[in-house]
Amino acid sequence: NWTRFTGLRTHSGSTQPIAVIDAYVHERFRDIVERIEPNAETIFRQLERLAGIRIATVTQDIQAVAATAEVSRALGVPKRSPCLLILRCFRDADGSILEISANHHPGDRFAYSMHIEVEG
């Protein structure tokens, strides 16, 4: 059993959401989930602080998807419009999954930037 948190992310000063987020916290934290504040710092930072654990790795997968009816309503975009789905898996040093999040970003409100050092 996982505890689900759902919310919208916005830029400060804007009411237009840049993402709808579903985050799932592992049942081993059931004693502290009531103390997690979804609109405060990130959930994984709160897990670290409240449970005294450390997130060691985060796996991130990004894929293009069509907005479902639920996502389109939350983001204010047409159904089936392009979105980027970012799936993140937060693990401790032993590889145990502590949190999973699914973030849907409207295609026109998200940019991904990566810096790569080239040797030689």
Side-chain angles (χ1 to χ4, degrees):
N1 293 331
W2 295 71
T3 301
R4 179 183 181 200
F5 294 90
T6 301
L8 293 176
R9 179 170 293 158
T10 60
H11 280 298
S12 59
S14 174
T15 58
Q16 190 175 44
I18 59 170
V20 60
I21 301 162
D22 286 309
Y24 301 87
V25 175
H26 193 273
E27 69 179 341
R28 84 182 229 207
F29 302 109
R30 65 182 164 269
D31 294 339
I32 64 164
V33 293
E34 292 177 1
R35 295 170 37 207
I36 292 176
E37 298 178 38
N39 296 322
E41 65 186 329
T42 59
I43 291 175
F44 82 88
R45 288 289 183 218
Q46 291 181 70
L47 281 176
E48 288 182 320
R49 183 173 41 78
L50 295 169
I53 52 103
R54 183 177 176 286
I55 302 294
T57 61
V58 180
T59 303
Q60 177 172 276
D61 295 313
I62 302 173
Q63 63 186 123
V65 298
T68 63
E70 182 181 0
V71 168
S72 66
R73 277 190 303 276
L75 295 175
V77 298
K79 186 177 175 186
R80 304 207 44 79
S81 62
C83 285
L84 287 174
L85 171 60
I86 302 176
L87 296 172
R88 292 186 183 105
C89 187
F90 300 81
R91 297 175 187 266
D92 64 14
D94 294 329
S96 297
I97 299 173
L98 310 174
E99 178 191 346
I100 298 170
S101 69
N103 304 265
H104 285 86
H105 296 265
D108 63 346
R109 296 180 219 155
F110 182 84
Y112 181 78
S113 177
M114 183 184 338
H115 178 83
I116 301 173
E117 294 290 330
V118 179
E119 293 184 27

